[in-house]
Amino acid sequence: MSIVKGKHIILGVTGSIAAYKVAELARNLTLDGAIVDVIMTAAAQRFVGAATFQALTGRPVLDDMWALPEDGVVGHVSLGQHADLLVIAPATANTIARLAAGLCDDLLTTTALATSAPILIAPAMNPHMYEHPATQANIALLRQRGVTILEPAYGRMAEPVIGRGRLPEPAIIEAEIRALLGRTCGPLRGRRVVVTAGGTHEPIDPVRFIGNRASGRMGYAIAAAARDRGASVTLISGPATAQPPAAVTLIRVETALDMQREVVSAIASADLLIMNAAVADFRPATASEHKIKKGDDEELTIRLVRNPDILASIAHRRDLVKIGFAAETHDLLTYAHEKLERKGLDMIVANEAVASIGAEDIQMILIDAQGVERLPQLPKPVAAERLLDAIIERFAARLRAPEIGSMTTEE
Ligand code: CTP
């Protein structure tokens, strides 16, 4: 189930030309089942009409601090009390300054003061205004108070200026929203998850390599699903064609040896490793320093040497929940069982290699000490959600965060 489903999200829209971009965000959150209340400042309404947000969220747009809601409590207090998250996007330099100063002279700033929900701010402004020491000091102060502030994107502004000040893409803001909601109430909150994805490139010479057809799609979907459940995710990705998820720590690697080094370092403090990468079993014994010329040769022999088995090399980490993948073209279950044993895994996800590598869908067979569960053919993002839920259920004692309310330590 989507982490945003049933959540009450207040979306504050302030006076920036980027205001039109968050219409898409309001729409996506609403379609995912969130209750989205949009607060617009007076300046925001000069850029986009309230009717746009009203139509997309199916709820009235709020802008009047003095309007009394049905429960009779003054609007700003009531709104903040019911919210799971306050998102301000785009946030102007002026709004950021007013929030930093603790002013409450309109519905948005008063709601921000009255709420105990997490706050996410996505600034958008002229690059000079963003870089100005006043704005930077205000941002630093808000961060210090626990507000999450996204870095604006670099690029062309509406006026002919290039710099850092563009509103991040709605997909990036949405990813941050999911991560924040997950960290507040997801079953993996407080947990560290390492996911590997993509393939590896084993260099032959400076321009050629041995690689495979992995797209990164499944591993990236797994990283996003773990993030949405509240985990801090380190995604170690080999070369891949898919778009990696936002709001995770992304480490890019090329070779199996690079991947092994990064995995060993990342799992030092992790609770769960999901090893989805298609790691090359062999690499050229030497990578030529210069581009190999064919000359008069009719044949070329490249000697390959064995790469380390990353999972097998960390089999001693019994405290870490370890999940592997087995993509096979034949004797799927036999090989998968053998890998589960040999690599000391808690679970292995068997799948048909030809059908799933590089594809949009995957049919997974989950194998662990308890038995075998076949899942239907699913789009990879859906399969990733199902996989994470199965992992959390099966290894609850080692992974699940304590029930909210029964926590004794601050997370
Ligand atoms: N794997 C690994 N290190 C390697 C190769 C694979 O950690 N050098 C991991 C993969 O990420 C996957 C699991 O081991 O989670 C199984 O990978 P697979 O390529 O199917 O198995 P291999 O061990 O390479 O076995 P075989 O070549 O016999 O299929």
Side-chain angles (χ1 to χ4, degrees):
M1 193 176 76
S2 165
I3 184 74
V4 303
K5 192 174 166 64
K7 296 291 186 317
H8 186 188
I9 298 172
I10 301 177
L11 176 59
V13 184
T14 75
S16 152
I17 180 65
Y20 76 94
K21 284 194 187 172
V22 293
E24 190 185 331
L25 178 65
R27 175 178 181 271
N28 289 345
L29 293 172
T30 306
L31 287 179
D32 267 359
I35 302 149
V36 183
D37 272 325
V38 175
I39 301 178
M40 295 183 84
T41 60
Q45 296 186 46
R46 289 177 171 258
F47 290 95
V48 192
T52 301
F53 287 103
Q54 206 149 310
L56 293 172
T57 62
R59 297 172 68 83
V61 166
L62 310 161
D63 57 5
D64 184 358
M65 188 154 63
W66 302 104
L68 278 179
E70 279 161 20
D71 62 9
V73 184
V74 177
H76 59 276
V77 180
S78 165
L79 260 183
Q81 278 170 352
H82 294 129
D84 292 297
L85 184 67
L86 169 61
V87 183
I88 306 179
T92 58
N94 182 42
T95 298
I96 290 171
R98 288 188 302 133
L99 291 168
L103 296 185
C104 41
D105 52 0
D106 65 4
L107 183 59
L108 181 57
T109 46
T110 37
T111 303
L113 268 195
T115 192
S116 51
I119 301 178
L120 172 66
I121 292 181
M125 64 195 74
N126 168 282
H128 299 297
M129 293 169 81
Y130 178 68
E131 279 152 24
H132 194 283
T135 306
Q136 288 302 315
N138 290 331
I139 287 175
L141 183 58
L142 289 171
R143 280 209 174 108
Q144 211 179 308
R145 290 187 196 142
V147 174
T148 305
I149 304 195
L150 291 180
E151 167 105 324
Y154 182 90
R156 240 184 103 151
M157 310 299 296
E159 70 268 42
V161 177
I162 295 181
R164 190 168 294 287
R166 284 171 60 86
L167 185 75
E169 288 306 311
I172 292 178
I173 305 174
E174 203 179 325
E176 291 291 342
I177 290 173
R178 290 168 169 277
L180 266 176
L181 288 172
R183 288 205 287 275
T184 316
C185 59
L188 289 178
R189 60 189 189 284
R191 298 291 180 216
R192 288 173 194 275
V193 176
V194 178
V195 179
T196 68
T200 62
H201 282 181
E202 308 297 330
I204 296 171
D205 68 15
V207 292
R208 303 182 180 97
F209 56 81
I210 296 175
N212 58 56
R213 297 182 200 280
S215 65
R217 225 175 258 138
M218 187 64 195
Y220 290 178
I222 291 170
R227 172 203 68 200
D228 290 0
R229 282 156 182 75
S232 298
V233 178
T234 301
L235 171 58
I236 301 168
S237 177
T241 49
Q243 179 72 23
V248 303
T249 302
L250 174 65
I251 299 173
R252 289 200 186 268
V253 296
E254 283 281 315
T255 66
L257 288 174
D258 294 342
M259 184 167 284
Q260 184 185 37
R261 195 184 53 246
E262 293 299 341
V263 167
V264 167
S265 142
I267 59 167
S269 58
D271 305 285
L272 168 63
L273 168 67
I274 305 177
M275 195 71 200
N276 173 252
V279 185
D281 291 323
F282 294 94
R283 65 178 185 278
T286 50
S288 168
E289 200 185 324
H290 302 291
K291 185 181 167 201
I292 297 173
K293 305 297 285 178
K294 63 182 167 304
D296 294 330
D297 295 344
E298 288 301 321
E299 279 183 21
L300 172 69
T301 304
I302 297 171
R303 195 166 69 85
L304 301 180
V305 293
R306 189 80 172 246
N307 268 329
D309 185 316
I310 302 174
L311 277 175
S313 73
I314 54 167
H316 59 279
R317 275 291 305 273
R318 299 232 172 259
D319 57 315
L320 179 71
V321 176
K322 293 186 289 281
I323 315 292
F325 271 71
E328 310 287 349
T329 56
H330 58 286
D331 297 322
L332 184 56
L333 290 186
T334 313
Y335 283 130
H337 271 110
E338 181 270 321
K339 286 175 189 174
L340 178 76
E341 278 293 312
R342 176 163 52 89
K343 299 186 187 228
L345 303 177
D346 294 282
M347 183 164 100
I348 194 150
V349 183
N351 59 97
E352 213 341 285
V354 180
S356 57
I357 291 187
E360 302 274 350
D361 293 353
I362 185 168
Q363 184 176 8
M364 303 185 297
I365 305 173
L366 310 186
I367 306 171
D368 67 8
Q370 310 310 315
V372 174
E373 184 190 356
R374 280 173 196 275
L375 286 126
Q377 173 118 350
L378 296 166
K380 286 180 174 175
V382 182
E385 303 267 346
R386 292 281 292 270
L387 176 61
L388 258 294
D389 290 339
I391 293 170
I392 293 166
E393 193 192 314
R394 288 171 197 214
F395 308 105
R398 291 158 73 187
L399 290 177
R400 194 178 272 280
E403 289 301 318
I404 295 168
S406 70
M407 282 182 289
T408 49
T409 51
E410 209 172 79
E411 289 184 71

